[in-house]
Amino acid sequence: MTPMFPRFPLKALALSAVLAIPGALALPLTSGLAASCGTGNFDAWLNDFKTEAAAKGISQAAIAAGLNGVTLDQGVLSRDRSQKVFNQTFEEFSGRMVPPRLTRGANMMKQYGSVLSRIEQTYGVPGEVLVAIWGLETDFGVNPGKFPTIRSLATLAYDCRRADTFRSELMDALRIIERGDLSPQEMRGAWAGELGQTQFMPSSYIKYAVDFDGNGRRDLLRSAPDVLASTANYLASYGWQRGKGWEAGSANFAVIQQWNKSEVYAKTIAYFASQLARQP
């Protein structure tokens, strides 16, 4: 499954739901565009960006590894310009998404039971909520996306629609490379730059990713413990209340909406989590 709704750092951006595009965005045009967006050729723009990255303290090694040879992706621009409004009801969306994933979700609860227990002890977020998000975002890691993250972000940063937002995300992608979490070749995900099994933008990866399996890397592509704990850290950072429910209207439901502002998507997460909690 690919994410049906956009998810960006929500304290910075207002989101609206869109249809069937990985990490699809329907955001306002950038105000205060970076001076170089969309001007000149892409290679010249990229060289200017490399200079800016170095000025912000990113190493030449990380800049070269991440950006050398990157080209514009017209396919990403086409996807960005052809988004469709999502108009399914909660009953339609949850009815399509939850039943096919319920059995596997219950199995994941059992398979990662001890990990989820430790995560809840650490962050206060129940495993049912984390597994529900995991299943809805990427089918439990099966479909994280195949777009080269750096290329997607560079393309969208060069474009003038939301240049400032994506310049910042591209910088954070280089920081992920620099601190050794992922190599540029490993960084593949949704077309708008989301990474990993629960689809973190690079800025969220930098802020919330944790090394829960203790191997020295925050790996949201391959490590289920890192994925689940990082998702819990994200929710905890937005005020998840330990030991409380997550039904619509509750404080924890409001936290789920910090994951995705769409009420339909948030209600589907809550419903899926409640169904998992009832599984034997």
Side-chain angles (χ1 to χ4, degrees):
M1 178 257 176
T2 53
M4 300 289 292
F5 297 81
R7 190 168 52 74
F8 254 59
L10 297 180
K11 61 185 177 183
L13 298 172
L15 306 184
S16 61
V18 298
L19 174 65
I21 300 172
L25 306 173
L27 308 181
L29 299 187
T30 304
S31 59
L33 295 173
S36 60
C37 78
T39 60
N41 64 48
F42 179 77
D43 288 342
W45 175 89
L46 191 63
N47 285 332
D48 287 344
F49 185 87
K50 291 177 180 179
T51 300
E52 180 184 350
K56 291 189 174 182
I58 297 173
S59 70
Q60 288 295 335
I63 292 168
L67 297 177
N68 283 1
V70 170
T71 57
L72 189 75
D73 189 336
Q74 290 291 345
V76 166
L77 293 179
S78 296
R79 285 173 179 262
D80 190 40
R81 285 163 168 73
S82 63
Q83 299 172 65
K84 299 177 182 179
V85 174
F86 180 89
N87 57 10
Q88 288 187 33
T89 65
F90 162 69
E91 289 76 16
E92 290 168 338
F93 183 67
S94 63
R96 184 165 61 85
M97 300 303 296
V98 174
R101 292 166 176 80
L102 190 55
T103 298
R104 184 140 191 249
N107 290 337
M108 290 297 186
M109 290 290 300
K110 295 172 183 175
Q111 181 178 344
Y112 293 99
S114 61
V115 171
L116 291 168
S117 178
R118 289 193 294 117
I119 290 172
E120 184 169 3
Q121 289 173 8
T122 304
Y123 299 104
V125 183
E128 293 88 349
V129 174
L130 304 176
V131 171
I133 290 172
W134 193 19
L136 291 174
E137 291 287 354
T138 65
D139 255 348
F140 312 102
V142 173
N143 296 311
K146 297 180 179 179
F147 286 83
T149 300
I150 297 291
R151 188 184 188 197
S152 291
L153 292 173
T155 295
L156 293 167
Y158 172 74
D159 189 41
C160 284
R161 284 163 54 82
R162 290 179 297 278
D164 290 347
T165 293
F166 285 105
R167 286 176 77 91
S168 178
E169 294 293 341
L170 183 55
M171 287 290 181
D172 281 335
L174 294 179
R175 293 183 177 106
I176 291 169
I177 295 167
E178 182 157 51
R179 73 183 187 181
D181 292 334
L182 300 171
S183 71
Q185 294 73 28
E186 292 172 315
M187 295 171 73
R188 288 178 174 269
W191 68 261
E194 299 93 332
L195 273 167
Q197 296 187 29
T198 54
Q199 301 285 274
F200 275 33
M201 289 302 292
S203 57
S204 291
Y205 204 119
I206 290 292
K207 291 175 186 174
Y208 305 115
V210 295
D211 172 23
F212 205 72
D213 63 12
N215 72 349
R217 302 174 68 198
R218 304 164 188 85
D219 185 353
L220 304 191
L221 294 180
R222 289 173 298 268
S223 170
D226 288 5
V227 167
L228 295 166
S230 299
T231 305
N233 186 35
Y234 183 108
L235 296 173
S237 296
Y238 280 100
W240 186 273
Q241 296 185 7
R242 184 185 295 267
K244 301 291 181 66
W246 53 80
E247 64 279 357
S250 68
N252 283 340
F253 183 78
V255 174
I256 292 174
Q257 288 189 290
Q258 294 298 324
W259 182 267
N260 192 303
K261 273 198 179 298
S262 163
E263 185 172 359
V264 169
Y265 197 92
K267 286 175 69 175
T268 301
I269 291 173
Y271 171 69
F272 193 0
S274 295
Q275 291 296 304
L276 288 171
R278 296 189 183 102
Q279 295 300 300

